[in-house]
Amino acid sequence: KALERVARARAQEHGLDFTVVTDADIAGVGEGASEQEIIQSVVKGDGVYMIGDALVQVTDGVPKQIS
């Protein structure tokens, strides 16, 4: 929860949307999917996404893991 609070605050500081991706959000991806496949399936636009303990920033449709 602490990581989520810090990440959310940082995203807001920079004017970025912040989204927490839940297990339900990735349920349709399929078991054994790679991290890249999961990211591609849940990304809906630019912003910061928290997937488990990983933080992914998407800029101009390009995802980059930032933590």
Side-chain angles (χ1 to χ4, degrees):
K1 291 292 179 184
L3 176 60
E4 181 181 338
R5 284 192 301 271
V6 170
R8 186 180 300 277
R10 284 287 177 104
Q12 288 176 347
E13 276 179 30
H14 296 282
L16 301 170
D17 291 332
F18 181 80
T19 304
V20 176
V21 178
T22 65
D23 289 340
D25 295 330
I26 60 175
V29 178
E31 219 172 291
S34 71
E35 186 174 287
Q36 191 66 24
E37 290 171 322
I38 292 170
I39 291 169
Q40 293 298 325
S41 71
V42 298
V43 167
K44 303 297 184 221
D46 289 356
V48 177
Y49 294 80
M50 184 170 187
I51 305 170
D53 290 337
L55 294 173
V56 177
Q57 182 172 347
V58 180
T59 305
D60 296 328
V62 179
K64 177 182 178 187
Q65 188 164 347
I66 56 175
S67 136

